[in-house]
Amino acid sequence: DALAAPVEFPALELSLTPDDHVAIALAGSTPGAETIVDTLVERLVDYGIGPKRIAVVTDDPRAAQRLREAEEDRGVIVETHDPSDEEQLCFAGLTKAERTLRVNRTLFEADVVLPITTEHPGDHAEDGPYDGLFPRFFDRETIDRMTRVRTLTSARARGGDYASARRNETDEAGWM
């Protein structure tokens, strides 16, 4: 259903061309990840995307290994995101606060990115559509900084300055 009627986006089948590179950004903690990826890859192939034009990027090495074993016959690329590996990162932009954002290169260069995560936009007032991607698939410095911000946010009342700053930076990174 999510592929046929995504929120604020046309049906995925109508949004793709056979030349597109599609990246699946998979949070390693996602329950049933292998089944979800398998089904998603099947649909993408049905929509005309060749398996070699599909990449799965996960932040969990164990999930990546299981997915490699499951997808190796099809030729789907499976990558473990390493936020410290400069070769995997590329410059996404400079924030208004003049912080450099470096994101996973595979996700950045894809024509379409499909985030699969346990984050649920809308569950909390401060949640947004990019919470499953940012900072998870960015550089080590950004992940560490945002982890500190989330810790401070949790320690203070919701709606404080830290929550607002986190939400703004997440949205800004998502648009980049």
Side-chain angles (χ1 to χ4, degrees):
D1 290 345
L3 300 177
V7 177
E8 296 182 21
F9 200 77
L12 189 61
E13 182 176 17
L14 303 174
S15 306
L16 298 171
T17 69
D19 291 333
D20 284 341
H21 282 92
V22 178
I24 300 167
L26 177 70
S29 59
T30 303
E34 292 86 1
T35 302
I36 293 169
V37 168
D38 185 58
T39 302
L40 189 51
V41 168
E42 266 182 38
R43 289 283 187 265
L44 291 169
V45 170
D46 289 346
Y47 298 160
I49 305 296
K52 293 182 192 283
R53 300 182 83 74
I54 301 170
V56 179
V57 181
T58 183
D59 59 339
D60 182 346
R62 290 172 295 179
Q65 184 57 39
R66 290 189 306 270
L67 288 166
R68 275 188 202 97
E69 292 167 5
E71 297 297 334
E72 68 185 341
D73 292 340
R74 286 200 252 195
V76 172
I77 299 161
V78 178
E79 171 186 319
T80 304
H81 175 64
D82 179 352
S84 301
D85 183 351
E86 294 295 324
E87 294 296 314
Q88 281 192 11
L89 301 168
C90 67
F91 178 74
L94 194 61
T95 68
K96 290 176 187 172
E98 297 187 13
R99 291 188 179 108
T100 299
L101 286 180
R102 294 176 302 143
V103 66
N104 179 278
R105 181 179 308 279
T106 299
L107 298 179
F108 187 80
E109 293 177 350
D111 298 302
V112 176
V113 176
L114 302 172
I116 307 297
T117 178
T118 55
E119 301 286 337
H120 299 284
D123 280 357
H124 304 288
E126 71 276 4
D127 284 352
Y130 307 109
D131 287 353
L133 297 171
F134 181 80
R136 175 177 282 130
F137 294 105
F138 283 72
D139 60 281
R140 171 59 52 208
E141 180 182 327
T142 300
I143 291 170
D144 290 347
R145 183 172 46 76
M146 293 306 292
T147 299
R148 286 191 303 274
V149 168
R150 285 183 182 186
T151 301
L152 289 171
T153 301
S154 298
R156 296 178 186 241
R158 290 208 183 270
D161 291 339
Y162 289 108
S164 176
R166 181 178 73 95
R167 170 79 283 120
N168 291 340
E169 188 164 355
T170 299
D171 289 344
E172 186 178 13
W175 277 103
M176 284 186 206

